[in-house]
Short mmCIF file of all heavy atoms in Angstrom, two decimals:
data_model
loop_
_atom_site.label_atom_id
_atom_site.label_comp_id
_atom_site.label_asym_id
_atom_site.label_seq_id
_atom_site.Cartn_x
_atom_site.Cartn_y
_atom_site.Cartn_z
N ALA A 8 0.52 -3.00 -19.13
CA ALA A 8 -0.24 -4.25 -19.22
C ALA A 8 -1.07 -4.32 -20.50
O ALA A 8 -1.62 -3.32 -20.94
CB ALA A 8 -1.17 -4.39 -18.02
N PRO A 9 -1.18 -5.53 -21.05
CA PRO A 9 -2.13 -5.69 -22.16
C PRO A 9 -3.55 -5.50 -21.62
O PRO A 9 -3.80 -5.73 -20.43
CB PRO A 9 -1.90 -7.13 -22.62
CG PRO A 9 -1.23 -7.82 -21.49
CD PRO A 9 -0.50 -6.78 -20.70
N LYS A 10 -4.45 -5.05 -22.46
CA LYS A 10 -5.83 -4.79 -22.03
C LYS A 10 -6.44 -6.02 -21.34
O LYS A 10 -7.21 -5.88 -20.40
CB LYS A 10 -6.70 -4.39 -23.23
CG LYS A 10 -6.33 -3.06 -23.82
CD LYS A 10 -7.04 -1.94 -23.11
CE LYS A 10 -6.82 -0.61 -23.79
NZ LYS A 10 -5.95 0.28 -23.08
N SER A 11 -6.05 -7.19 -21.78
CA SER A 11 -6.62 -8.42 -21.21
C SER A 11 -6.22 -8.64 -19.76
O SER A 11 -6.81 -9.47 -19.08
CB SER A 11 -6.18 -9.62 -22.05
OG SER A 11 -4.76 -9.72 -22.04
N ALA A 12 -5.23 -7.88 -19.26
CA ALA A 12 -4.77 -8.04 -17.88
C ALA A 12 -5.20 -6.89 -16.98
O ALA A 12 -4.91 -6.91 -15.78
CB ALA A 12 -3.26 -8.19 -17.85
N HIS A 13 -5.89 -5.91 -17.50
CA HIS A 13 -6.25 -4.73 -16.69
C HIS A 13 -7.11 -5.08 -15.48
O HIS A 13 -7.01 -4.41 -14.45
CB HIS A 13 -6.92 -3.66 -17.56
CG HIS A 13 -5.93 -2.82 -18.30
ND1 HIS A 13 -6.08 -1.49 -18.50
CD2 HIS A 13 -4.73 -3.15 -18.87
CE1 HIS A 13 -5.04 -1.01 -19.17
NE2 HIS A 13 -4.22 -2.01 -19.42
N HIS A 14 -7.90 -6.12 -15.57
CA HIS A 14 -8.74 -6.52 -14.44
C HIS A 14 -7.92 -7.03 -13.25
O HIS A 14 -8.42 -7.10 -12.13
CB HIS A 14 -9.76 -7.58 -14.87
CG HIS A 14 -9.14 -8.90 -15.20
ND1 HIS A 14 -8.46 -9.14 -16.38
CD2 HIS A 14 -9.06 -10.05 -14.49
CE1 HIS A 14 -8.00 -10.38 -16.39
NE2 HIS A 14 -8.35 -10.96 -15.25
N LYS A 15 -6.66 -7.35 -13.48
CA LYS A 15 -5.80 -7.86 -12.41
C LYS A 15 -5.15 -6.74 -11.60
O LYS A 15 -4.59 -6.99 -10.54
CB LYS A 15 -4.68 -8.72 -13.02
CG LYS A 15 -5.16 -9.94 -13.78
CD LYS A 15 -4.00 -10.68 -14.39
CE LYS A 15 -4.46 -11.93 -15.13
NZ LYS A 15 -3.32 -12.71 -15.61
N LEU A 16 -5.19 -5.52 -12.09
CA LEU A 16 -4.47 -4.39 -11.50
C LEU A 16 -5.35 -3.68 -10.47
O LEU A 16 -6.46 -3.28 -10.77
CB LEU A 16 -4.06 -3.39 -12.60
CG LEU A 16 -3.31 -3.98 -13.80
CD1 LEU A 16 -3.07 -2.90 -14.84
CD2 LEU A 16 -2.01 -4.64 -13.37
N GLN A 17 -4.79 -3.51 -9.27
CA GLN A 17 -5.51 -2.83 -8.19
C GLN A 17 -4.50 -2.18 -7.25
O GLN A 17 -3.31 -2.50 -7.30
CB GLN A 17 -6.34 -3.82 -7.36
CG GLN A 17 -7.37 -4.59 -8.13
CD GLN A 17 -8.07 -5.59 -7.24
OE1 GLN A 17 -8.71 -5.23 -6.27
NE2 GLN A 17 -7.93 -6.87 -7.55
N LEU A 18 -5.00 -1.33 -6.37
CA LEU A 18 -4.17 -0.79 -5.30
C LEU A 18 -4.22 -1.75 -4.12
O LEU A 18 -5.30 -2.26 -3.77
CB LEU A 18 -4.69 0.58 -4.85
CG LEU A 18 -4.50 1.74 -5.82
CD1 LEU A 18 -5.29 2.95 -5.33
CD2 LEU A 18 -3.03 2.10 -5.97
N LEU A 19 -3.10 -2.01 -3.48
CA LEU A 19 -3.07 -2.89 -2.31
C LEU A 19 -3.97 -2.38 -1.20
O LEU A 19 -4.66 -3.15 -0.55
CB LEU A 19 -1.63 -3.06 -1.80
CG LEU A 19 -1.46 -3.84 -0.50
CD1 LEU A 19 -2.03 -5.25 -0.60
CD2 LEU A 19 0.00 -3.88 -0.08
N MET A 20 -3.99 -1.06 -0.99
CA MET A 20 -4.77 -0.51 0.12
C MET A 20 -6.27 -0.71 -0.03
O MET A 20 -7.03 -0.50 0.92
CB MET A 20 -4.45 0.97 0.33
CG MET A 20 -3.12 1.21 1.04
SD MET A 20 -2.99 0.43 2.67
CE MET A 20 -4.04 1.52 3.65
N ARG A 21 -6.71 -1.18 -1.17
CA ARG A 21 -8.12 -1.52 -1.37
C ARG A 21 -8.57 -2.59 -0.35
O ARG A 21 -9.73 -2.69 -0.01
CB ARG A 21 -8.28 -2.04 -2.79
CG ARG A 21 -9.61 -2.60 -3.11
CD ARG A 21 -9.65 -3.06 -4.57
NE ARG A 21 -11.00 -3.47 -4.87
CZ ARG A 21 -11.46 -4.69 -4.67
NH1 ARG A 21 -10.68 -5.62 -4.20
NH2 ARG A 21 -12.71 -4.99 -4.95
N PHE A 22 -7.62 -3.37 0.16
CA PHE A 22 -7.93 -4.46 1.08
C PHE A 22 -7.80 -4.08 2.55
O PHE A 22 -8.05 -4.89 3.43
CB PHE A 22 -7.03 -5.67 0.77
CG PHE A 22 -7.22 -6.19 -0.63
CD1 PHE A 22 -6.38 -5.78 -1.65
CD2 PHE A 22 -8.27 -7.04 -0.93
CE1 PHE A 22 -6.57 -6.22 -2.96
CE2 PHE A 22 -8.47 -7.49 -2.22
CZ PHE A 22 -7.63 -7.08 -3.24
N ALA A 23 -7.38 -2.84 2.82
CA ALA A 23 -7.19 -2.37 4.20
C ALA A 23 -8.53 -2.08 4.86
O ALA A 23 -9.48 -1.67 4.20
CB ALA A 23 -6.32 -1.13 4.21
N SER A 24 -8.57 -2.26 6.18
CA SER A 24 -9.79 -1.93 6.91
C SER A 24 -9.54 -0.95 8.05
O SER A 24 -10.47 -0.28 8.50
CB SER A 24 -10.45 -3.21 7.45
OG SER A 24 -9.55 -3.88 8.30
N ASP A 25 -8.31 -0.83 8.52
CA ASP A 25 -8.02 0.03 9.67
C ASP A 25 -7.46 1.40 9.29
O ASP A 25 -7.42 2.30 10.13
CB ASP A 25 -6.99 -0.64 10.60
CG ASP A 25 -7.56 -1.89 11.25
OD1 ASP A 25 -8.79 -2.01 11.35
OD2 ASP A 25 -6.75 -2.76 11.64
N HIS A 26 -7.00 1.55 8.04
CA HIS A 26 -6.42 2.81 7.61
C HIS A 26 -7.21 3.38 6.43
O HIS A 26 -7.60 2.63 5.54
CB HIS A 26 -4.95 2.62 7.22
CG HIS A 26 -4.09 2.22 8.37
ND1 HIS A 26 -3.90 0.91 8.73
CD2 HIS A 26 -3.39 2.96 9.26
CE1 HIS A 26 -3.11 0.86 9.80
NE2 HIS A 26 -2.79 2.09 10.14
N GLU A 27 -7.40 4.69 6.43
CA GLU A 27 -8.20 5.35 5.41
C GLU A 27 -7.44 5.63 4.12
O GLU A 27 -8.04 5.89 3.09
CB GLU A 27 -8.73 6.69 5.96
CG GLU A 27 -9.68 6.53 7.13
CD GLU A 27 -11.01 5.93 6.73
OE1 GLU A 27 -11.53 6.30 5.65
OE2 GLU A 27 -11.53 5.08 7.48
N SER A 28 -6.12 5.63 4.14
CA SER A 28 -5.33 5.99 2.98
C SER A 28 -5.61 5.07 1.79
O SER A 28 -5.74 3.86 1.96
CB SER A 28 -3.83 5.92 3.33
OG SER A 28 -3.05 6.25 2.21
N ALA A 29 -5.69 5.66 0.60
CA ALA A 29 -5.90 4.87 -0.61
C ALA A 29 -4.59 4.27 -1.11
O ALA A 29 -4.60 3.29 -1.86
CB ALA A 29 -6.52 5.73 -1.71
N THR A 30 -3.48 4.87 -0.68
CA THR A 30 -2.18 4.42 -1.18
C THR A 30 -1.19 4.24 -0.03
O THR A 30 -1.42 4.70 1.08
CB THR A 30 -1.59 5.44 -2.18
OG1 THR A 30 -1.36 6.67 -1.50
CG2 THR A 30 -2.51 5.64 -3.37
N ILE A 31 -0.09 3.59 -0.36
CA ILE A 31 1.01 3.41 0.60
C ILE A 31 2.12 4.36 0.16
O ILE A 31 2.69 4.17 -0.93
CB ILE A 31 1.48 1.95 0.62
CG1 ILE A 31 0.33 1.04 1.07
CG2 ILE A 31 2.69 1.79 1.54
CD1 ILE A 31 0.61 -0.44 0.98
N PRO A 32 2.44 5.37 0.96
CA PRO A 32 3.43 6.37 0.54
C PRO A 32 4.84 5.78 0.45
O PRO A 32 5.18 4.84 1.17
CB PRO A 32 3.35 7.42 1.65
CG PRO A 32 2.82 6.70 2.84
CD PRO A 32 1.92 5.61 2.31
N ASP A 33 5.63 6.34 -0.46
CA ASP A 33 7.00 5.89 -0.64
C ASP A 33 7.87 6.42 0.50
O ASP A 33 8.02 7.64 0.64
CB ASP A 33 7.54 6.39 -1.98
CG ASP A 33 8.87 5.76 -2.35
OD1 ASP A 33 9.52 5.16 -1.47
OD2 ASP A 33 9.27 5.88 -3.52
N PRO A 34 8.46 5.55 1.32
CA PRO A 34 9.25 6.01 2.47
C PRO A 34 10.72 6.30 2.13
O PRO A 34 11.47 6.75 2.99
CB PRO A 34 9.17 4.82 3.42
CG PRO A 34 9.18 3.64 2.50
CD PRO A 34 8.35 4.08 1.30
N TYR A 35 11.13 6.05 0.90
CA TYR A 35 12.54 6.05 0.53
C TYR A 35 13.29 7.33 0.93
O TYR A 35 14.39 7.27 1.44
CB TYR A 35 12.70 5.79 -0.97
CG TYR A 35 14.13 5.60 -1.41
CD1 TYR A 35 14.80 4.42 -1.14
CD2 TYR A 35 14.81 6.61 -2.09
CE1 TYR A 35 16.11 4.23 -1.54
CE2 TYR A 35 16.13 6.43 -2.49
CZ TYR A 35 16.77 5.23 -2.21
OH TYR A 35 18.07 5.06 -2.60
N TYR A 36 12.68 8.48 0.68
CA TYR A 36 13.37 9.75 0.96
C TYR A 36 13.02 10.32 2.34
O TYR A 36 13.41 11.42 2.67
CB TYR A 36 13.05 10.78 -0.13
CG TYR A 36 13.63 10.38 -1.46
CD1 TYR A 36 12.81 9.88 -2.47
CD2 TYR A 36 15.00 10.43 -1.69
CE1 TYR A 36 13.33 9.49 -3.69
CE2 TYR A 36 15.54 10.04 -2.91
CZ TYR A 36 14.70 9.57 -3.90
OH TYR A 36 15.23 9.18 -5.09
N GLY A 37 12.31 9.54 3.14
CA GLY A 37 11.91 10.01 4.46
C GLY A 37 12.73 9.40 5.57
O GLY A 37 13.85 8.93 5.37
N ASN A 38 12.12 9.41 6.76
CA ASN A 38 12.82 8.90 7.95
C ASN A 38 12.27 7.53 8.35
O ASN A 38 11.39 6.97 7.69
CB ASN A 38 12.69 9.90 9.10
CG ASN A 38 11.24 10.18 9.46
OD1 ASN A 38 10.35 9.37 9.20
ND2 ASN A 38 11.00 11.32 10.07
N GLN A 39 12.77 7.01 9.47
CA GLN A 39 12.37 5.68 9.95
C GLN A 39 10.87 5.60 10.21
O GLN A 39 10.26 4.57 9.98
CB GLN A 39 13.15 5.34 11.23
CG GLN A 39 12.89 3.95 11.76
CD GLN A 39 13.23 2.85 10.76
OE1 GLN A 39 14.20 2.93 10.04
NE2 GLN A 39 12.39 1.83 10.72
N GLN A 40 10.28 6.69 10.69
CA GLN A 40 8.84 6.70 10.96
C GLN A 40 8.03 6.38 9.70
O GLN A 40 7.01 5.72 9.76
CB GLN A 40 8.41 8.05 11.56
CG GLN A 40 6.92 8.14 11.87
CD GLN A 40 6.41 7.03 12.77
OE1 GLN A 40 7.09 6.61 13.69
NE2 GLN A 40 5.21 6.55 12.51
N GLY A 41 8.53 6.83 8.56
CA GLY A 41 7.85 6.53 7.29
C GLY A 41 7.80 5.04 7.02
O GLY A 41 6.79 4.52 6.54
N PHE A 42 8.88 4.34 7.31
CA PHE A 42 8.91 2.89 7.12
C PHE A 42 7.97 2.18 8.08
O PHE A 42 7.32 1.20 7.72
CB PHE A 42 10.35 2.36 7.26
CG PHE A 42 11.20 2.64 6.05
CD1 PHE A 42 11.88 3.85 5.93
CD2 PHE A 42 11.31 1.71 5.03
CE1 PHE A 42 12.65 4.12 4.82
CE2 PHE A 42 12.09 1.98 3.90
CZ PHE A 42 12.76 3.19 3.81
N GLU A 43 7.88 2.68 9.31
CA GLU A 43 6.95 2.11 10.30
C GLU A 43 5.50 2.27 9.81
O GLU A 43 4.71 1.33 9.87
CB GLU A 43 7.11 2.78 11.66
CG GLU A 43 8.48 2.61 12.30
CD GLU A 43 8.74 1.22 12.83
OE1 GLU A 43 7.79 0.44 13.03
OE2 GLU A 43 9.93 0.89 13.05
N GLN A 44 5.18 3.47 9.31
CA GLN A 44 3.83 3.73 8.81
C GLN A 44 3.52 2.83 7.61
O GLN A 44 2.43 2.25 7.52
CB GLN A 44 3.68 5.19 8.40
CG GLN A 44 2.30 5.51 7.86
CD GLN A 44 2.22 6.92 7.29
OE1 GLN A 44 3.08 7.34 6.52
NE2 GLN A 44 1.18 7.64 7.67
N VAL A 45 4.48 2.70 6.70
CA VAL A 45 4.30 1.84 5.54
C VAL A 45 4.00 0.40 5.98
O VAL A 45 3.09 -0.24 5.47
CB VAL A 45 5.54 1.90 4.62
CG1 VAL A 45 5.61 0.72 3.66
CG2 VAL A 45 5.55 3.22 3.86
N LEU A 46 4.74 -0.09 6.97
CA LEU A 46 4.51 -1.46 7.43
C LEU A 46 3.15 -1.59 8.12
O LEU A 46 2.48 -2.61 7.96
CB LEU A 46 5.64 -1.92 8.35
CG LEU A 46 5.69 -3.41 8.65
CD1 LEU A 46 5.62 -4.27 7.39
CD2 LEU A 46 6.93 -3.75 9.45
N ASP A 47 2.71 -0.56 8.83
CA ASP A 47 1.35 -0.56 9.40
C ASP A 47 0.32 -0.73 8.30
O ASP A 47 -0.61 -1.55 8.41
CB ASP A 47 1.06 0.74 10.15
CG ASP A 47 1.85 0.89 11.44
OD1 ASP A 47 2.38 -0.11 11.96
OD2 ASP A 47 1.92 2.05 11.93
N TYR A 48 0.45 0.05 7.24
CA TYR A 48 -0.50 -0.01 6.12
C TYR A 48 -0.45 -1.37 5.44
O TYR A 48 -1.49 -1.95 5.12
CB TYR A 48 -0.18 1.07 5.08
CG TYR A 48 -0.52 2.48 5.46
CD1 TYR A 48 -1.02 2.82 6.72
CD2 TYR A 48 -0.36 3.52 4.55
CE1 TYR A 48 -1.32 4.14 7.04
CE2 TYR A 48 -0.67 4.84 4.87
CZ TYR A 48 -1.15 5.13 6.11
OH TYR A 48 -1.47 6.43 6.42
N ILE A 49 0.76 -1.88 5.22
CA ILE A 49 0.92 -3.16 4.54
C ILE A 49 0.31 -4.29 5.36
O ILE A 49 -0.41 -5.14 4.82
CB ILE A 49 2.41 -3.43 4.23
CG1 ILE A 49 2.88 -2.53 3.08
CG2 ILE A 49 2.66 -4.91 3.92
CD1 ILE A 49 4.38 -2.54 2.85
N GLU A 50 0.56 -4.32 6.66
CA GLU A 50 -0.02 -5.37 7.50
C GLU A 50 -1.54 -5.32 7.46
O GLU A 50 -2.20 -6.36 7.37
CB GLU A 50 0.48 -5.25 8.94
CG GLU A 50 1.92 -5.68 9.11
CD GLU A 50 2.45 -5.50 10.52
OE1 GLU A 50 2.00 -4.59 11.25
OE2 GLU A 50 3.36 -6.27 10.89
N ASP A 51 -2.11 -4.12 7.53
CA ASP A 51 -3.55 -3.95 7.48
C ASP A 51 -4.10 -4.48 6.15
O ASP A 51 -5.02 -5.31 6.13
CB ASP A 51 -3.89 -2.46 7.66
CG ASP A 51 -5.36 -2.15 7.60
OD1 ASP A 51 -6.21 -3.07 7.75
OD2 ASP A 51 -5.70 -0.96 7.42
N ALA A 52 -3.53 -4.03 5.04
CA ALA A 52 -4.02 -4.44 3.73
C ALA A 52 -3.81 -5.94 3.50
O ALA A 52 -4.69 -6.61 2.94
CB ALA A 52 -3.33 -3.63 2.64
N CYS A 53 -2.70 -6.47 3.94
CA CYS A 53 -2.43 -7.89 3.75
C CYS A 53 -3.38 -8.76 4.57
O CYS A 53 -3.74 -9.87 4.14
CB CYS A 53 -0.97 -8.22 4.06
SG CYS A 53 0.16 -7.73 2.73
N ASN A 54 -3.83 -8.29 5.73
CA ASN A 54 -4.85 -9.02 6.48
C ASN A 54 -6.12 -9.16 5.67
O ASN A 54 -6.72 -10.23 5.61
CB ASN A 54 -5.14 -8.34 7.82
CG ASN A 54 -4.16 -8.74 8.89
OD1 ASN A 54 -3.80 -9.90 9.01
ND2 ASN A 54 -3.72 -7.78 9.68
#
């Protein structure tokens, strides 16, 4: 990003209230449970 856009960059989990994780883990190399956890985090942060 150009320096002028750095203020736009954030972690999605910054908006979460029910989960403590700072990040959303990559489920690609894991199992189905990883995708379920990712969706839990995403729903929380998106709320």
Side-chain angles (χ1 to χ4, degrees):
K10 293 273 187 252
S11 61
H13 278 218
H14 69 283
K15 299 177 178 185
L16 308 176
Q17 301 177 62
L18 290 170
L19 174 58
M20 283 302 286
R21 172 179 186 272
F22 300 96
S24 59
D25 295 336
H26 295 88
E27 296 290 320
S28 179
T30 63
I31 298 173
D33 190 345
Y35 188 75
Y36 294 105
N38 59 24
Q39 184 59 39
Q40 180 55 38
F42 283 87
E43 298 288 341
Q44 179 188 48
V45 161
L46 193 51
D47 290 343
Y48 287 5
I49 287 170
E50 287 177 331
D51 179 18
C53 283
N54 276 318

